[in-house]
């Protein structure tokens, strides 16, 4: 697009004629700074808007531009997407004379006087008197000294709060104050502003208004297929941008938000679905023979019946494995749901057909444990021996971690390269470049949250003849379905939503204060007396900076030392600083019930499976997240024995309080995931790094669940018909702009 610098002559835009899609008003396009354009220029695309630097706008010098840059606003598009934080509906504004004690209101008023002083307790106090045409009101602010600067006399402010009566007069203490300038209009948009650089919400509002006026002539393009907005009852996009920044009614602003939020979600889902499909197309996979004897034998030999959910998952996975394109599936299941068995079926399917299987765990302790379980379950299995026509040989399974002796590692590596090892269990050493597989057919990654997309990508082309092995990712950190659609958008999702029968509910207690804690240790001793075992988990180790955190070592010594709460019991210690061999030795003592109590850091957080353990004690539980606590709790109650979880300590924040209470109230991982999302917001799911960068400015995976699903459906519908978005070039280009490869990579690194 040509951008010229001719003198702007702004025509007051006529908002009532809110530009219909494609409508042009050729005589009215005097929006020069953006472009001098011949009549009939096409509507402005995101890319057009992105190409216009904010410096081109009226009244916008370098200083202002620098201030905007601090808010990451560099182009006109950035400005348009700098959405109001909230709105003030002036029709609901109160007059000072009508204020009543304790009734929450807002008033728009002028600052009359402003002064600050120190109270006797050395607190800084700012006192401000404001007035409207009906009366005066005193505002008192504690500890917000900077307000004195901004609330200078003559300024118009919007004050929200509850009046109280003080010495006979009404006043508001610590009200929320918005400086809005002398905005007129019924609804005032309040923007996120930058105190530091003196950029106020009304400055932003002015620039945005300026942009909207200038866009009026050409209008902002709507990239959606024509019928879609109508079908979904969404506004067209130009109207939405006007409506979110300059709504006439609150209803208009929320409809505008809905449209723009849908666009964000749709772009994301299109990107994810497209990516997933391309990956499926461009990678050739193995078509496994399913329904073989090995799997049946394995299932028949299990000491229990599979749950319906397990059967269902196994059958869906078999279908995936039989297909020629590589499986890419996420298996979600609450702790204890029995994911390992499902994984083994997938691995055995590979082995059955002469391929190799790899099971990757996040820690050595877990890898070791999986190896043991599998040795127990599969120890005497045989596989067909290709070297001799009719014979068979024992199934060979190996453990491969960084701490295996070098000689053993070499042997395993050689066996994998020669195709003599059927199943290998290990840590991410398994996907290191120098490890050769003769015929890697299925890879299972346990406890996904520690592995990112990058690691998944490493697997591509690792199979025989550069075929991509099938991949099953398992996670015990359930996340809500709609969030899964976004975060794991490139995976198919299966859910184990049923626990094996006979499990007893884990009784969870929040133990506060010394008395509460005493009961906890009594419970541990009781369990030990009955021949059961307990875990005691501590949050940090040797963190000299964090003085108030009890380290695992201290706890160990305090509890097991002479006169300690657990003196006389067999107590072991496990933390990240001991050697892997020592770690394994301790674990193995615990597994064989030669330890009553295992004091440990969170190394046991995921996956550890010792059925005889019935008590979980978490010290300083307030420091853990919901998912982590739920994981920890899942280490007990793994058999039919009644089990207890004790969350020890006070909650330092209301949020921590809510977390602990949620754990006490519920043991449903999916429910807890929702609570977590509620408490912590999207950041939990998207990850810190992603938050700043992603295209989701309005959409909330929490509030807008139904729209996430709708966007997913629409994305699939569009791509079914038009896989490369050839019919919707504007939309394709916008996705490229907003979620280009770099951004998408970023987004997917969970
Ligand atoms: P998770 O899903 O947390 O990884 P595991 O696979 O470790 O769960 O299984 C937890 C425990 O439940 C294991 O001891 C396992 O042998 C047992 N288990 C798995 N499936 C069943 C079932 N269908 N019935 C009874 N016990 C089961
Ligand atoms: Mg597990």
């Amino acid at each position: 697009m040509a951008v010229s610098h001719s003198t702007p002559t702004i025509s007051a835009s006529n908002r009532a004629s809110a530009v219909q899609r494609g409508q042009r008003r050729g005589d009215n396009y005097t929006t020069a700074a953006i472009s001098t354009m011949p009549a009939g220029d096409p509507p402005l695309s995101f890319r057009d808007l992105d190409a216009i630097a904010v410096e081109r706008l009226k009244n916008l010098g370098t200083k202002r531009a620098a201030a905007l840059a601090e808010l990451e606003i560099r182009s006109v598009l950035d400005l348009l997407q700098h959405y109001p934080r909230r709105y003030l509906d002036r029709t609901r504004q109160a007059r000072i004379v009508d204020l009543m004690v304790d009734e929450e209101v807002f008033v728009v008023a002028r600052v009359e006087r402003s002064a600050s002083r120190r109270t006797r307790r050395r607190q800084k106090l700012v006192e401000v008197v404001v007035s409207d045409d009906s009366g005066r009101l005193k505002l008192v602010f504690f500890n917000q000294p900077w307000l004195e600067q901004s609330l200078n006399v003559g300024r118009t402010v919007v004050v929200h709060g509850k009046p109280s009566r003080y010495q006979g007069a009404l006043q508001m203490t610590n009200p929320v104050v918005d400086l809005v300038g002398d905005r007129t209009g019924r609804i005032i948009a309040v923007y996120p502003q930058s105190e530091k650089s003196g950029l106020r919400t009304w400055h932003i509002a002015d620039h945005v208004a300026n942009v909207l006026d200038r866009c009026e002539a050409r209008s902002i393009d709507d990239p959606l297929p024509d019928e879609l907005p109508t079908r979904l009852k969404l506004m067209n996009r130009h109207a939405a941008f006007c409506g979110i920044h300059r709504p006439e009614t609150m209803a208009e602003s929320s409809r505008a938000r809905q449209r723009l939020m849908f666009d964000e979600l749709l772009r994301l889902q299109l990107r994810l679905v497209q990516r997933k499909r391309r990956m499926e197309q461009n990678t050739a996979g193995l078509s496994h023979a399913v329904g073989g004897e090995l799997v049946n034998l394995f299932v028949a030999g299990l000491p229990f019946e599979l749950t319906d959910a397990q059967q269902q998952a196994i059958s869906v996975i078999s279908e995936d494995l039989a297909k020629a394109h590589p499986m890419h599936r996420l298996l979600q299941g609450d702790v204890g749901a029995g994911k390992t068995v499902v994984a083994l079926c997938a691995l055995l399917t590979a082995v059955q057909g002469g391929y190799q299987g790899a099971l990757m765990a996040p820690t050595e302790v877990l890898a070791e444990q999986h190896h043991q379980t599998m040795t127990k379950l599969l120890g005497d299995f045989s596989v067909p021996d290709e070297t001799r026509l009719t014979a068979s040989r024992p199934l060979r399974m190996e453990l491969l971690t960084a701490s295996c002796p070098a000689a053993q590692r070499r042997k395993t590596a050689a066996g994998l390269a020669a195709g003599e090892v059927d199943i290998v269990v290990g840590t991410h050493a398994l996907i290191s470049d120098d490890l050769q597989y003769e015929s890697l057919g299925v890879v299972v990654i346990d406890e996904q949250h520690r592995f990112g997309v990058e690691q998944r990508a490493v697997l591509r082309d690792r199979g025989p003849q550069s075929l991509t092995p099938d991949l099953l990712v398992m996670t015990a950190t359930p996340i809500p379905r709609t969030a899964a659609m976004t975060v794991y958008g490139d995976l198919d999702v299966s859910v184990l939503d049923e626990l094996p029968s006979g499990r007893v509910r884990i009784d969870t207690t929040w133990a506060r204060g010394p008395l509460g804690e005493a009961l906890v240790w009594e419970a541990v001793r009781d369990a030990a007396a009955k021949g059961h075992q307990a875990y005691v988990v501590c949050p940090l180790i040797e963190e000299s900076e964090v003085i108030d955190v009890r380290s695992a070592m201290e706890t160990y010594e305090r509890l097991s030392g002479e006169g300690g709460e657990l003196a006389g019991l067999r107590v072991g210690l496990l933390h990240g600083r001991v050697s892997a061999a020592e770690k394994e030795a301790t674990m193995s003592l615990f597994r064989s019930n030669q330890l009553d109590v295992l004091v440990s850091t969170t190394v046991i957080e995921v996956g550890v499976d010792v059925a005889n353990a019935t008590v979980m004690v978490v010290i300083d539980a307030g420091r853990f997240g919901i998912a982590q606590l739920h994981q920890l709790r899942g280490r007990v109650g793994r058999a039919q024995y009644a089990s207890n979880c004790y969350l020890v300590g006070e909650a330092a924040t209301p949020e921590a309080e809510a977390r602990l209470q949620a754990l006490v109230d519920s043991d449903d991982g999916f429910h807890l995931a929702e609570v977590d999302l509620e408490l912590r917001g999207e950041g939990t799911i998207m990850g810190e790094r992603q938050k700043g960068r992603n295209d989701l400015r309005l959409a909330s995976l929490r509030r807008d669940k139904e729209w996430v699903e709708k966007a997913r459906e629409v994305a699939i519908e569009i791509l079914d018909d038009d896989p490369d978005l050839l019919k919707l070039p504007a939309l394709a280009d916008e996705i490229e702009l907003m979620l280009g490869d770099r951004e998408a990579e970023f987004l997917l690194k969970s």
Side-chain angles (χ1 to χ4, degrees), residues 114 116 124-126 128 141-152 155 174-175 177 179 193 195-196 200:
S114 170
S116 73
K124 179 106 174 185
L125 187 80
V126 178
V128 178
F141 302 91
F142 289 97
N143 288 327
Q144 303 172 61
W146 59 89
L147 281 174
E148 196 189 353
Q149 279 291 313
S150 30
L151 297 181
N152 35 34
R155 189 151 262 178
N174 290 336
V177 178
L179 304 174
Q193 51 189 5
E195 291 286 341
K196 202 167 55 171
R200 300 294 183 190

Side-chain angles (χ1 to χ4, degrees), residues 304-307 310 333-341 447 500-501 503 607 609 635 638:
F304 44 73
E305 295 282 306
L306 292 179
T307 64
Q310 281 171 320
D334 211 340
V335 269
K339 293 182 289 294
T340 315
V341 170
E447 315 296 0
S501 60
R503 292 277 164 80
D609 187 20
R635 299 309 109 216
R638 297 182 78 78

Side-chain angles (χ1 to χ4, degrees), residues 532-584:
H532 290 300
Q533 294 162 278
Y535 299 96
V536 177
V537 177
C538 320
L540 280 175
I541 176 151
E542 289 173 8
E543 286 289 336
S544 49
E545 313 90 8
V546 192
I547 304 148
D548 59 348
V549 173
R550 286 173 274 182
S551 76
M553 272 172 173
E554 275 171 21
T555 308
Y556 170 76
E557 268 148 32
R558 181 170 60 87
L559 292 173
S560 63
E562 209 169 311
E565 312 269 14
L566 303 181
L569 297 186
R570 299 166 300 169
V571 184
L573 173 65
L574 192 71
H575 59 71
R577 303 261 170 95
V578 302
S579 74
E582 207 176 317
K583 223 183 277 175
E584 188 35 47

Side-chain angles (χ1 to χ4, degrees), residues 334-335 450 476-477 506 508 534-539 598 600-608 613-638 643-647 663 672:
D334 211 340
V335 269
R450 307 226 172 156
T477 312
I506 304 166
T508 302
Y535 299 96
V536 177
V537 177
C538 320
L598 186 63
S600 107
T601 54
T602 51
V603 277
I604 59 143
E605 174 190 340
V606 286
V608 168
T614 57
V615 177
M616 166 61 66
V617 181
V618 186
I619 307 277
D620 265 333
R623 293 182 178 269
F624 291 89
I626 285 188
Q628 227 181 347
L629 288 172
H630 182 60
Q631 275 294 319
L632 287 169
R633 175 168 62 181
R635 299 309 109 216
V636 297
R638 297 182 78 78
S643 297
N644 288 83
C645 173
Y646 296 98
L647 307 173
L663 265 294
L672 290 171

Side-chain angles (χ1 to χ4, degrees), residues 119-135:
T119 65
R120 260 171 294 163
R121 298 161 85 187
R122 309 293 305 150
Q123 277 185 314
K124 179 106 174 185
L125 187 80
V126 178
E127 287 174 314
V128 178
V129 175
V130 296
S131 69
D132 63 8
D133 55 15
S134 76

Side-chain angles (χ1 to χ4, degrees), residues 6 12 38-39 56 68 72 146 199 215 233 251 362 386 430 580 672 741:
S6 49
R56 301 270 162 82
L68 286 167
E72 304 282 317
W146 59 89
L199 186 67
C215 290
K233 300 195 174 63
E386 300 113 47
L430 294 187
L672 290 171
D741 277 333

Side-chain angles (χ1 to χ4, degrees), residues 266-274 715 718-719 731 735:
L266 182 64
R267 283 195 290 271
L268 180 60
Q269 292 301 336
L270 282 168
R271 185 88 182 132
L272 290 169
V273 174
Q274 207 172 27
I718 290 177
L719 293 172
L731 190 54
I735 293 170

